[in-house]
Amino acid sequence: MTQDIKLKHQNIARITGVIYLGIIACGIFSEAVVRSGLINHSNGAQTYNNILEHQSLFRLGIVSDILVLFGDIIVSILLYYLLKPISKILALIAASFRLIVVAISGANIFNMLSVLLLVSGTRYLNSFSKEQLESAMLFLFKNHSYGYDVALAFFGIHCLLLGMLIMKSKLIPKMFGIAFIITAICYFLFSFGRFIFPHFANSLYPSILLPPLVTELSLALWLLIKGINTPNIKSIT
């Protein structure tokens, strides 16, 4: 393995870390800042007025969601490139599940775009009362949350496979492999729990999503700062 190839892998690892950090930042902004700040799931009137008064912020949240999708596509490919020497099949399946998440999340964004239509003041909406528009808006947000839950189930599979790959490799500390397996369990519990035991799962939010956030943030920082263990690249290729 030449020094140039090792440097190439190191650069790819650091690029992956930078993009992963961008994904996390955009995700936190759109979910924790925009939607959590504007949506009151028990008060349609307040939510409608919040979106009406803060349309620019809401639109920025949608843009952030789209940037997350762009980043996830790139990270899927880069992680596959870095981990395929461990197991090409597992790396390919892991990348495929992350890309499925992109597809589901992309379709889910249309719920948010439909919310903008409800506050657009377009003439064909005059046949609906304000109360009906408020109810429709809450329905769209609920539908969005269901789409998010489905996407998390697929992302849980990605994290499980990623954890297995890291555990088998010597490129990244094995603690990340264990952490990603735990992350997968958290995503499964939250996603399937919201469908089977919604009240119980909701009581765990957002604490159950804290370990995944710490795990993904830690991996992104590790890849950016430390990169991968290049002396071990030769042993797995």
Side-chain angles (χ1 to χ4, degrees):
M1 178 65 65
T2 66
Q3 192 65 30
D4 287 343
I5 295 177
K6 289 183 178 182
L7 181 61
K8 177 183 177 182
H9 281 73
Q10 198 68 276
N11 289 337
I12 289 175
R14 291 200 162 97
I15 291 170
T16 304
V18 170
I19 297 174
Y20 216 141
L21 285 174
I23 290 171
I24 294 170
C26 289
I28 290 175
F29 174 74
S30 60
E31 189 64 34
V33 176
V34 178
R35 283 189 282 274
S36 293
L38 298 180
I39 301 170
N40 184 340
H41 290 282
S42 60
N43 191 324
Q46 180 185 351
T47 300
Y48 183 93
N49 290 332
N50 286 343
I51 303 298
L52 185 63
E53 294 173 8
H54 302 91
Q55 288 189 56
S56 296
L57 178 62
F58 191 75
R59 289 176 186 274
L60 281 177
I62 295 175
V63 171
S64 292
D65 286 333
I66 295 173
L67 291 176
V68 168
L69 302 185
F70 290 162
D72 272 328
I73 292 171
I74 298 172
V75 166
S76 297
I77 296 170
L78 296 182
L79 286 177
Y80 168 74
Y81 178 83
L82 291 173
L83 296 171
K84 69 177 180 178
I86 314 298
S87 172
K88 190 172 183 178
I89 294 297
L90 281 183
L92 181 60
I93 296 172
S96 298
F97 270 91
R98 190 164 190 143
L99 291 174
I100 290 172
V101 173
V102 172
I104 295 171
S105 301
N108 207 25
I109 289 176
F110 284 99
N111 285 302
M112 299 297 94
L113 294 173
S114 297
V115 167
L116 286 176
L117 289 177
L118 294 180
V119 297
S120 64
T122 307
R123 284 200 313 175
Y124 59 73
L125 294 175
N126 292 338
S127 58
F128 299 97
S129 67
K130 189 171 183 294
E131 289 75 17
Q132 288 175 320
L133 294 176
E134 293 166 358
S135 297
M137 182 174 288
L138 290 183
F139 170 82
L140 290 170
F141 284 129
K142 177 60 70 173
N143 207 37
H144 178 269
S145 68
Y146 284 148
Y148 185 79
D149 295 339
V150 172
L152 276 188
F154 284 89
F155 194 66
I157 297 292
H158 167 77
C159 291
L160 178 62
L161 296 175
L162 185 59
M164 292 168 59
L165 286 164
I166 292 174
M167 290 283 287
K168 293 175 65 177
S169 79
K170 296 179 181 179
L171 301 178
I172 304 170
K174 289 190 176 182
M175 64 179 181
F176 285 111
I178 297 171
F180 266 95
I181 291 173
I182 295 172
T183 289
I185 294 172
C186 290
Y187 281 142
F188 291 147
L189 288 175
F190 184 71
S191 178
F192 289 105
R194 292 248 283 188
F195 292 120
I196 303 172
F197 307 107
H199 295 296
F200 174 72
N202 289 335
S203 68
L204 296 177
Y205 180 83
S207 58
I208 197 171
L209 297 182
L210 183 59
L213 174 60
V214 172
T215 297
E216 293 188 75
L217 181 59
S218 298
L219 178 63
L221 289 172
W222 182 275
L223 291 174
L224 174 61
I225 298 170
K226 290 285 189 177
I228 56 176
N229 191 8
T230 51
N232 289 307
I233 293 176
K234 185 176 181 179
S235 65
I236 61 171
T237 53

